[in-house]
């Protein structure tokens, strides 16, 4: 909705958290239908979403149709460029307990792995956050015995996640498709029946299952290299900000584990 209006608040009242348009909700249902059309051996076993309202709106149809758990991970949250110090901090992703008021079937079983810095990130720091988040998600999913995971996030974050999987997060040359509700798929390479550590991309921003195909595609070419974004103002209090004991994307937080099989964006 923020493509259509300057500032649209979700029912949560959180700033910088617009809702989906009616068309976006249709796209989310089309995505769910596509995922349900896959053979059972290819369907996601878990959905891990950014805590933002629009990402949970995107996740819900797939969560309900596939009948798999839905959790939120703040490490998958939206990218806010570095905030000039005099402008204050950016909003932090809302907690699962907060979002469950609007999404009652959201599971609270997932302990957050890391938070993006509320001071904002430059492009390199976003890519570092994405790599670290993937490492932690993979570690946890291996412990849980999960092989196929659907990650629901935002354009910039998904580009960084895809590049991390393809070992391109330092050079940042690979273009990852990020149309709304599009789908990228990454799988481990298999050699002689043995699953290796190298990822390959099987789908890149696929929108063939959407009625109007690719829409609203975004890339880092849309912003200058030195982009910054004002924070919420000096003295702004964020009740959702993580405590000092919770891990931040600086990498200083404790390990608690894309392993993605499939990664859509909204």
């Amino acid at each position: 909705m923020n493509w259509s209006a300057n500032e649209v608040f979700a029912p949560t009242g959180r700033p910088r958290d617009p809702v989906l348009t009616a068309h976006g909700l249709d796209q989310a249902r089309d995505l769910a239908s596509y995922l349900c059309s896959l053979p059972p051996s290819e369907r996601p076993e878990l959905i891990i979403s950014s805590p933002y309202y629009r990402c949970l709106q995107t996740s819900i149809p797939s969560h309900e149709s596939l009948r798999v758990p839905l959790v939120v991970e703040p490490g998958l949250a939206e990218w806010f460029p570095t905030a000039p110090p005099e402008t204050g901090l950016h909003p932090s992703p809302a907690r699962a307990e907060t979002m469950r008021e609007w999404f009652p079937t959201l599971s609270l079983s997932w302990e957050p792995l890391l938070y993006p810095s509320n001071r904002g990130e430059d492009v390199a720091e976003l890519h570092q956050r994405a790599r670290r988040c993937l490492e932690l998600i993979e570690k946890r999913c291996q412990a849980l015995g999960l092989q196929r995971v659907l990650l629901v996030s935002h354009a910039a974050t998904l580009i960084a996640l895809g590049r991390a999987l393809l070992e391109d997060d330092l050079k940042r040359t690979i273009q990852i498709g990020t149309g709304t509700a599009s789908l990228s798929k990454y799988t481990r390479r298999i050699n002689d029946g043995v699953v290796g550590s190298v990822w390959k991309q099987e789908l890149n921003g696929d929108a063939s299952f959407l009625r109007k195909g690719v829409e609203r595609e975004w890339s880092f070419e849309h912003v200058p290299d030195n982009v910054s974004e004002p924070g919420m103002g000096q003295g702004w209090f964020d009740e959702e900000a993580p405590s000092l004991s919770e891990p931040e994307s600086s990498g200083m937080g404790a390990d608690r584990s894309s392993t993605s099989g499939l990664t859509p964006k909204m």
Side-chain angles (χ1 to χ4, degrees):
M1 186 67 80
N2 62 342
W3 288 74
S4 306
N6 290 332
E7 183 70 271
V8 179
F9 290 90
T12 61
R14 298 283 297 162
R16 300 180 184 177
D17 190 12
V19 300
L20 295 186
T21 61
H23 178 53
L25 294 171
D26 287 340
Q27 287 183 311
R29 287 187 282 267
D30 288 343
L31 172 63
S33 296
Y34 171 75
L35 293 173
C36 285
S37 74
L38 298 174
S41 61
E42 297 181 20
R43 296 174 190 167
E45 301 168 289
L46 173 70
I47 301 174
I48 309 176
S49 174
S50 159
Y52 282 82
Y53 197 91
R54 60 193 181 276
C55 282
L56 284 165
Q57 284 182 295
T58 303
S59 302
I60 285 294
S62 296
H63 159 60
E64 293 177 343
S65 299
L66 293 168
R67 298 183 180 182
V68 297
L70 168 63
V71 299
V72 295
E73 169 50 50
L76 297 177
E78 179 67 282
W79 173 50
F80 293 131
T82 305
E86 67 276 10
T87 67
L89 302 175
H90 291 300
S92 293
R95 299 172 182 275
E97 292 82 359
T98 299
M99 299 310 297
R100 196 176 189 187
E101 180 178 347
W102 290 273
F103 301 95
T105 57
L106 178 64
S107 173
L108 302 182
S109 62
W110 184 273
E111 184 179 5
L113 296 169
L114 90 166
Y115 279 81
S117 172
N118 55 13
R119 297 178 297 276
E121 304 161 305
D122 62 26
V123 173
E125 289 168 336
L126 168 64
H127 283 75
Q128 292 167 5
R129 187 233 302 180
R131 173 171 286 275
R132 184 58 179 153
C133 187
L134 287 172
E135 291 171 350
L136 295 172
I137 287 175
E138 181 168 12
K139 181 179 178 180
R140 179 171 291 175
C141 287
Q142 286 177 341
L144 294 172
L146 298 170
Q147 296 183 326
R148 298 180 305 280
V149 180
L150 180 71
L151 304 183
V152 185
S153 188
H154 312 263
T157 310
L158 283 172
I159 293 171
L161 291 167
R163 287 172 172 174
L165 287 172
L166 300 175
E167 301 293 337
D168 184 59
D169 48 327
L170 294 180
K171 295 181 179 179
R172 300 194 285 275
T173 58
I174 295 177
Q175 299 298 312
I176 307 294
T178 60
T180 49
S182 62
L183 186 69
S184 294
K185 180 180 179 181
Y186 303 89
T187 58
R188 295 278 197 190
R189 292 188 182 274
I190 300 177
N191 295 312
D192 298 326
V194 178
V195 179
S197 60
V198 178
W199 291 89
K200 64 178 180 179
Q201 187 185 62
E202 295 189 6
L203 296 174
N204 185 13
D206 180 41
S208 60
F209 50 85
L210 299 175
R211 304 170 202 187
K212 295 187 178 181
V214 177
E215 297 181 84
R216 308 285 193 188
E217 193 147 31
W218 187 92
S219 75
F220 284 99
E221 295 175 357
H222 286 75
V223 296
D225 291 340
N226 62 345
V227 63
S228 63
E229 184 174 0
M232 296 299 297
Q234 291 290 352
W236 181 71
F237 175 74
D238 187 358
E239 59 187 12
E240 296 294 329
S243 66
L244 294 177
S245 64
E246 291 176 293
E248 199 178 78
S249 62
S250 61
M252 304 309 293
D255 287 5
R256 307 203 192 176
S257 81
S258 143
T259 352
S260 51
L262 307 163
T263 54
K265 175 261 178 178
M266 181 58 79

